């Protein structure tokens, strides 16, 4: 069996997790190269992950051709390399546009962490360039679609058992943000997930967004507006509200309630070990998104590998990345003006023919 | 990197799942051979899983050396084959003893579905034979140890935060059993999981077992005693109770509550999509153990592969399989007599030195 | 001990419940008179509740002076009657203003079902008239303040353990509304409860309201906007959102989540009997507000009786009724214009001195 | 309307609660007298509860005939008093037999806190004496039957929707017991509730009981066996298990799961305010039975008053008190011998004709 040879660009927290995921948990894929602006951490990761191969070669009874993960200095070289079949982009968002164009040029399938690019205009250019290529090679890292709970919710809503979906209530909470966090990052880095969730669950574009700013928590730096409360209006007249609170103090929490004509469905209520101790019943909150969504990331990468080797990539598309960027841009305007802002989206049929 | 080459003996429901798991979800392993008394289903499975390799070879840009999964007629030949590094035994329990001895003879690591063997005496001979070999090659399929909820419960109890554990309350329910189900199978096939759970969570042997038989549900055939209610006494004086009900009608449910000196902890309360529909709030029950424990099986096999290639198998041991068999034998005697029965266990330090 | 002699004006569903509550569940109060535009149902209720007295007189060993509940034709006569110490107003909202002025004239304590009156202007006149009287005699039927769960939430938020409260998320769902239901009634009859909840939990006035109207469910008559999604802004900058959905189909559901600087707290998640049946786990939804809030109503009336006999009425005041009316008026304007509307509230210190 | 004039014998924690309940929360009843071996606490309570009458008389507009609660030195005098229509017995268990015979002699309805008497033999004599009287005047304080959750469970099981009930799993936990607590008290004072619950839910007598004693928690005094794990067998072959743990440390917890042919139903899972704070989700445990069962006690007393004035007492009978005593006696024997013990119950049809 021929493994898909994967290169990872950017090995910060997310990229390193993905690299390890490819090596330790993903069937049918092999990590061959990593690149990072910080050469030291790329070397360290490559060394650590190569050891596993060596160990395998030593103990298993099979033929031994231990391979190592190599470090490539320039991400563009990694993307171009003959022995790299597909790329995972986990570099900073501002580097995505150039790297995506390189992937398109070499026809390399790419799993690109969100955001697709930094603004709607450049995202649209990526969409157009891929369209010219004639096949989907870009998948955007909206990994909630792969979370078993979100997937079950989507399946339930699509089944029609609850009638038409009317409303979504979303809650998205992080334990705390670093002091450098700015108000805009709530929209672009956090709320962007609920933008995709709303588009995906409804199967409709968002046409209007209002970002409300209640009096902020006293536990953030001056001038940061946290929490934020957004209201989305969708093309079919449905609506969604979203609380994003990145300094929630308690832990990580993501919830989504869909309200339909014949009932409602909620995911993210949590489970695990239910304790009674210290005069309390309950459980612990996950520390962060990596704990809560570990399984979603595993499934996302396995499915991307499987779809890529079959030549049938079907995850969140460049258009999904572009539409999310357009909504976030409108959201940032609403954040600064306090007013509802219409989302200016290109005509899909014109762009994609 | 060299993949562990795995052969699967027995491709009924469990074996086919494991084979597919190795091919589609497990990193660092490759399925090379399957064997089954029913040659037809072995051929069908091998064909289906070989296609994936072919597909991979066709689309991925890498070197193409498409390999197929071959069918081996005689399980003993599969175990002996040079290109099989490790074996998954999912054959019927009565075939285990002979096949395990073959694995021991060839020094092949083996993941053996429960039961280890059909009775305590033969299980003890397996333990002794492995002991002579001088290293652990047998892992028994007590997969609850790999379920994230059970693992978190174990970790919590071992942390000592709740003080010493005093009691376990277990519930183990299947939706329904086939008409051929007999009362003894409840003890040997179902309750055996709770036998292992109790031994593992307490870190103690079970010394006494009582199997109570309340008036059975009217939904089973004549003479079948279902549900059953067992009480275990452990070497340190702790106790556990277990309800096993294989015709529960509703769905699959496994719960475990540990009661300790400073609090209690429960797993298996369920989660997923929480709906409000049809005048009800709640969710759906998993259909069976494959749905509930899918993640546990995935983790079990990935860890076994990882441990095997490192040469450090550390899962449930042959002794664990033997001890469970001894408790079940005593349980069957209690089932037929209605009285508490002491568990006659060999002296571990004598057997294992 | 001298019982408080209570008269009930309006014996539709709510008034009949209150009358029965006074007779069967409330200590220190006695029902002496009822009045209703429908003389027949007043007679029937009085007859039914008088029987209890007769039964009591017959069987108990005490002195027997069986008393009957009499029917008074004109509500104004009931309010004026010498043997009526206090009044429960459960007449239609449009009759409240006149009846409240009569209670004020006679200095009779009155528990007035919401709404206080039909608009903010008349409600303000009631507030002013009571202010001239110099003592609180009016309590408005915002009974959620007496629900044990809401009361515990209020206590938790006021304790300061979670820091300052930042946001409220409210859900208010009825199983179904009669065909005569109009969109405005959602604001005035249903959302008015959340208006009071937000004012009470925050201890702040609402300064601005937006009522959104997503595409309505297909299960209501033409032109009815249901569900509605409102956003409240409070004087201190905090915010609240409210979903009201009076044709939810499933059952009655009221939830409130408060989000504070150091955590969140939710009430209304439900409890009762947790079943596993029909491939589902879960429970049943209460049929309507009378089931869900039965205990709240019992406590409301017992506390009102106790406070009245002590001469220290302290429940929701006429001002609370007026402020809610003012918010609902603004809400109705927002409902028709689709825009945020500022709430024009009189200056409390000017009105109440 | 004539109120039922109630006298309370024994005003420790339970009796004082009941006295206050009659005064403050119960319709149709009046507290006229209290008696207690500790005259001082009887005086204090009577004074405190008389004040309310005075307050009522002062403020309400009705006729003023303020009455005080008087203290009676000898309980037998209270029971005999002409102005006492009915009696609540909350004296120590050892005093019950004599006081119950006095109630029977005077034909006074009596709500007797559990235990009915201290042993099965004396309880049977009470049953026989009441039978001679020809009508039910004794109700035993098995108040779980009045808890809304238990009542809903009973209703569900009796509906037959889940088929025949096969098993009960009970958990009964107190936060901590005083150092004077002895092992026998677990059976007689705590487990007695589950004895009644099992008899009531199944509608069958308990025929056999085993009380297991796992290694006790280290947080109790020497020689006290806590927790205890009991197994009940019922006349129809159904079974129940009960964990009683009176030094659970966390708080008060009572749960009951009924397992039937077509599903299971659980009560006591808790509810109230659901918080997310301090890295935890969950809620608080009730401090003790008075918090958990406050509503059950209120309903118990209101229903007893209502039934008494109608002359139709229908709560737990003297036979229920006797049968519970007989099971507890057998349980104490099992506790000391470690063996199953058959319950020797008189023939009901012989005793009650």
């Amino acid at each position: 069996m021929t493994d898909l040879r994967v290169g990872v660009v950017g090995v910060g927290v997310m990229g390193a997790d993905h690299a390890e995921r490819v090596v330790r948990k993903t069937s049918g894929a092999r990590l061959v190269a990593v690149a990072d602006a910080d050469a030291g951490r790329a070397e360290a990761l490559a060394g650590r992950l190569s050891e596993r191969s060596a160990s395998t070669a030593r103990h298993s009874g099979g033929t031994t051709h231990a391979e190592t993960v190599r470090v490539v200095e320039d991400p563009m070289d990694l993307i171009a390399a003959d022995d790299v079949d597909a790329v995972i982009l986990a570099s900073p968002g501002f580097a995505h546009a150039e790297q995506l164009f390189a992937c398109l040029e070499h026809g390399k399938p790419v799993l690109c962490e969100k955001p697709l690019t930094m603004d709607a205009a450049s995202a649209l250019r990526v969409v157009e360039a891929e369209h010219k290529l004639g096949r989907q090679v870009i998948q955007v890292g909206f990994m909630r679609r792969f979370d078993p709970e979100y997937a079950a919710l989507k399946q339930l809503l699509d089944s029609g058992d609850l009638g038409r979906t009317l409303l979504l209530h979303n809650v998205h909470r992080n334990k705390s943000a670093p002091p450098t966090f700015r108000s805009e990052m709530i929209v672009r880095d956090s709320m962007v997930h609920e933008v995709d969730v709303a588009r995906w669950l409804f199967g409709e574009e968002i046409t209007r967004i209002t970002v409300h700013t209640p009096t902020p928590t006293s536990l953030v730096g001056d001038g940061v507006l946290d929490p934020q409360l957004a209201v989305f209006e969708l093309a079919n007249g449905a609506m969604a509200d979203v609380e994003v609170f990145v300094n929630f103090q308690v832990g990580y929490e993501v919830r989504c309630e869909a309200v339909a004509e014949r009932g409602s469905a909620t995911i993210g209520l949590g489970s695990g070990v239910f304790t009674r101790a210290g005069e309390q019943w309950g459980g612990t909150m996950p520390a962060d998104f990596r704990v809560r969504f570990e399984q979603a990331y595993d499934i996302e990468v396995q499915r991307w590998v499987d779809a890529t080797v079959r030549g049938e990539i079907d995850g969140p598309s460049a258009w999904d990345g572009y539409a999310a960027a357009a909504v976030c841009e409108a959201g940032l305007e609403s954040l600064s003006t306090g007013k509802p802002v219409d989302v200016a989206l290109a005509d899909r049929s014109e762009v994609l023919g």
Side-chain angles (χ1 to χ4, degrees), chain A residues 121-282:
Chain A
S122 59
L124 186 57
R125 283 193 298 274
V126 170
V127 169
E128 293 165 337
E130 187 194 39
H131 182 59
K132 267 185 216 141
L133 191 63
R135 67 175 196 273
Q136 184 175 353
V137 292
I138 300 172
Q139 177 170 324
V140 185
F142 290 133
M143 95 296 173
R144 291 185 190 186
R145 302 191 186 193
F146 302 97
D147 176 61
E149 291 196 11
Y150 271 101
L153 177 60
K154 171 74 169 163
Q155 189 177 20
L156 173 64
L157 298 180
D158 287 354
S159 76
D161 288 354
L162 300 183
R164 205 156 34 90
T165 307
L166 304 168
L167 282 172
L168 288 187
H169 302 302
N170 298 277
V171 161
H172 181 161
R173 296 167 181 161
N174 292 73
K175 186 165 183 185
S176 58
T180 56
F181 205 84
R182 301 186 321 275
S183 301
E184 309 87 78
M185 298 166 79
I186 289 182
V187 174
R188 209 175 337 226
D189 287 11
S190 300
M191 196 183 292
V192 66
H193 278 296
E194 276 66 41
V195 167
D196 185 63
V197 162
R199 293 181 63 254
W200 174 60
L201 289 181
F202 281 118
E204 296 276 340
E205 296 295 350
I206 294 169
T207 54
R208 204 170 147 97
I209 178 171
T210 312
V211 179
H212 296 283
T213 53
T215 301
T217 170
S218 64
L219 305 174
V220 293
D222 278 357
V224 180
L225 300 168
D226 181 25
Q228 294 177 15
L229 179 67
V231 177
F232 301 162
E233 300 176 45
L234 287 108
N236 66 347
M239 299 186 71
D241 53 54
V242 187
E243 175 206 320
V244 184
F245 191 0
V246 301
N247 281 282
F248 181 49
Q249 307 302 317
V250 182
Y252 186 73
E253 179 181 12
V254 166
R255 258 185 295 145
C256 179
E257 175 174 23
V259 187
E261 291 182 335
R262 299 196 177 281
S264 65
T266 307
I267 59 104
L269 292 171
S271 65
V273 182
F274 184 101
T275 56
R276 290 182 181 84
E279 311 197 352
Q280 284 242 325
W281 57 262

Side-chain angles (χ1 to χ4, degrees), chain A residues 17 87 91:
Chain A
D17 275 5
V87 177
S91 51

Side-chain angles (χ1 to χ4, degrees), chain A residues 108-111 130 135-140 303-304 306-317:
Chain A
K108 295 274 171 84
V110 56
L111 175 61
E130 187 194 39
R135 67 175 196 273
Q136 184 175 353
V137 292
I138 300 172
Q139 177 170 324
V140 185
R303 293 238 182 115
W304 174 69
D306 291 349
T308 300
V309 297
R310 282 198 318 270
E312 301 167 0
I313 294 171
D314 56 359
S317 67

